[in-house]
Amino acid sequence: MKITEAKVIVCCPGRNFVTLKIMTDEGVYGVGDATLNGREKAVVSFLEDYLCPSLIGRDPSQIEDIWQFFYRGAYWRRGPVGMTAIAAIDTALWDIKGKVAGMPLYQLLGGRSRDKIMVYSHANGNDIDTTLAEVAKSVDKGYKAVRVQCGIPGVASTYGVSKGGKSYEPADADLPTESVWSTEKYLNHVPKLFEAVRNEFGEDLHILHDVHHRLTPIEAARLGKEVEQYHLFWLEDCVPAENQDAWKLIRQHTTTPLAVGEVFNSIHDCRELIQNQLIDYIRSTVVHAGGITQLRRIADLAALYHVRTGFHGATDLSPICMGTALHFDYWVPNFGIQEHMAHSEEMMAVFSTSYEFKDGYFTPGETPGHGVDIDEALAAQYPYKRACLPVNRLEDGTLWNW
């Protein structure tokens, strides 16, 4: 079997998705997610101009060698654009391998390690009361874990909080919008949210929260310590992770579990965090961390240090990434939880899936490969629309982490 064609499909059924389709001379094809939110066209160019031409004529079963060819063979390694492109290729090749074998992806990885996959939903509101109402909706749907975010008094807009009752989509404008952020107002208010959730829903509900890189280490330590009494499942991305030593300070002050990694592109981004046991959950994604081939190495390293997986699963990842992640979740021994933001009906019409949700848990299905496909004709009806993520400024105008 040889690869005969590799093409990139860009569509926007409510938001932009980039899909790579790899075809073979035996009629078997595989698809991979290549979406990089707000930078989609950069990955498209990298695939079309540099990587796809080198795929033609190769044996698609040689996944490891192809991965190494594109990673080691490039002098300019790593980075979000390059690793997203490699991930798309890797995912599509695993899809082909599963179809050829007549087996679902999780069986190729070694078989399932659990019966079902716990996922968490998102609940947000402009204030605590509206957030509680959204949490109740998730609980009614069967979710056992919910990420909670709410508006902050005196702050016009806050990460994770939707506008006008619509589903939250951070890439909200053709060019980046600017938000104003106050760490002080946030730190003084957000513990009240967790108190309210516990009072309303008791101790059995798993509570998660995303800080979105906005604190300094000592500020994150303060927050982690103050919310210990509410037993969060995790506190996510409390500081930027470029300085991995910064997490030592946070760890010294709190027993609140820490999660990080959705922006990581390689095992080197999280190696010290894992080896020094500074985090409890690694959130790297199939699409941004080099695909199944590298994600498996990250998970194996994490298992040695009691770190569990908690993969990113927002709607800026296509259903292809979600389906692939669920197969990985089914297999990986050190599974923790899987994020789930439901794609819209418009999005799900473009992508067919075999995964199923019931009472707070997913199963990936038994379709050979990862079980997700794209309707190219329907995708063509949704042309690309540039959409950028916002930027943040402090109240004095200083540019800050969004």
Side-chain angles (χ1 to χ4, degrees):
M1 181 182 291
K2 300 295 183 184
I3 296 172
T4 57
E5 186 180 358
K7 64 178 177 178
V8 181
I9 304 162
V10 183
C11 64
C12 187
R15 71 148 348 273
N16 292 314
F17 294 120
V18 180
T19 303
L20 176 68
K21 185 172 184 178
I22 297 178
M23 289 151 282
T24 70
D25 56 1
E26 295 185 15
V28 182
Y29 67 87
V31 293
D33 186 10
T35 308
L36 184 60
N37 196 0
R39 296 292 184 268
E40 297 90 355
K41 285 293 189 73
V43 183
V44 172
S45 175
F46 193 55
L47 281 167
E48 290 183 337
D49 296 336
Y50 299 101
L51 304 193
C52 288
S54 293
L55 281 170
I56 307 308
R58 293 185 180 274
D59 180 351
S61 69
Q62 302 300 310
I63 297 176
E64 184 66 42
D65 184 69
I66 291 173
W67 194 96
Q68 297 293 343
F69 178 87
F70 287 123
Y71 181 79
R72 290 180 182 270
Y75 185 70
W76 313 106
R77 296 182 185 179
R78 300 160 60 189
V81 174
M83 296 307 287
T84 299
I86 291 175
I89 293 170
D90 189 76
T91 302
L93 294 178
W94 278 102
D95 193 25
I96 291 172
K97 187 176 284 287
K99 290 174 179 176
V100 171
M103 301 170 67
L105 176 57
Y106 77 84
Q107 292 287 15
L108 297 181
L109 295 173
R112 62 184 176 88
S113 297
R114 55 200 45 81
D115 298 326
K116 52 190 177 180
I117 300 158
M118 184 168 71
V119 298
Y120 69 91
S121 70
H122 288 202
N124 65 84
N126 291 323
D127 52 36
I128 291 176
D129 287 341
T130 54
T131 301
L132 292 177
E134 292 301 313
V135 173
K137 291 179 182 178
S138 290
V139 171
D140 288 344
K141 292 176 182 177
Y143 286 97
K144 307 299 186 291
V146 182
R147 193 191 84 169
V148 295
Q149 313 284 143
C150 78
I152 308 301
V155 178
S157 63
T158 306
Y159 167 78
V161 178
S162 58
K163 301 175 183 178
K166 299 179 180 179
S167 298
Y168 179 64
E169 173 51 64
D172 59 358
D174 180 60
L175 294 174
T177 56
E178 296 193 8
S179 303
V180 176
W181 173 254
S182 169
T183 299
E184 294 78 12
K185 291 183 175 70
Y186 167 80
L187 286 174
N188 289 334
H189 183 71
V190 76
K192 301 173 185 176
L193 170 63
F194 307 135
E195 179 183 23
V197 174
R198 279 287 174 242
N199 288 339
E200 183 77 15
F201 298 97
E203 289 291 336
D204 290 338
L205 181 68
H206 296 302
I207 301 175
L208 303 89
H209 179 72
D210 187 359
V211 184
H212 222 248
H213 316 280
R214 299 187 177 196
L215 303 179
T216 65
I218 198 64
E219 291 166 347
R222 167 190 160 183
L223 177 61
K225 188 173 183 178
E226 288 183 356
V227 303
E228 284 179 2
Q229 61 186 311
Y230 306 120
H231 308 143
L232 269 62
F233 188 94
W234 77 34
L235 193 63
E236 176 187 342
D237 290 346
C238 50
V239 299
E242 289 93 339
N243 176 8
Q244 297 190 15
D245 281 344
W247 291 74
K248 293 179 181 178
L249 181 61
I250 305 168
R251 198 62 142 180
Q252 289 169 0
H253 290 279
T254 181
T255 58
T256 297
L258 303 174
V260 72
E262 71 181 57
V263 299
F264 290 173
N265 310 127
S266 83
I267 195 169
H268 303 289
D269 294 326
C270 55
R271 177 173 50 81
E272 293 180 18
L273 291 172
I274 291 171
Q275 289 177 333
N276 293 317
Q277 300 184 80
L278 301 179
I279 59 173
D280 302 280
Y281 296 91
I282 181 65
R283 302 202 63 247
S284 301
T285 69
V286 175
V287 67
H288 297 147
I292 291 289
T293 296
Q294 183 177 225
L295 200 59
R296 190 163 54 171
R297 295 187 177 107
I298 292 174
D300 284 342
L301 175 65
L304 298 178
Y305 298 95
H306 311 287
V307 175
R308 297 177 179 176
T309 64
F311 295 155
H312 184 52
T315 50
D316 62 352
L317 313 176
S318 88
I320 293 172
C321 184
M322 183 65 182
T324 307
L326 289 170
H327 280 275
F328 195 96
D329 297 334
Y330 221 27
W331 158 76
V332 68
N334 51 319
F335 172 75
I337 199 168
Q338 170 67 53
E339 182 177 17
H340 175 237
M341 283 183 72
H343 292 97
S344 68
E345 292 183 7
E346 192 177 33
M347 297 172 188
M348 295 303 287
V350 173
F351 297 90
S352 60
T353 64
S354 61
Y355 52 78
E356 295 181 354
F357 174 81
K358 182 180 180 181
D359 296 331
Y361 296 88
F362 266 97
T363 51
E366 297 297 317
T367 301
H370 55 54
V372 185
D373 206 349
I374 184 170
D375 183 332
E376 293 186 63
L378 185 55
Q381 298 178 26
Y382 297 100
Y384 169 82
K385 298 177 182 178
R386 186 172 63 191
C388 295
L389 296 169
V391 297
N392 246 2
R393 293 187 184 274
L394 299 179
E395 290 179 304
D396 67 359
T398 303
L399 197 68
W400 197 241
N401 306 307
W402 179 79

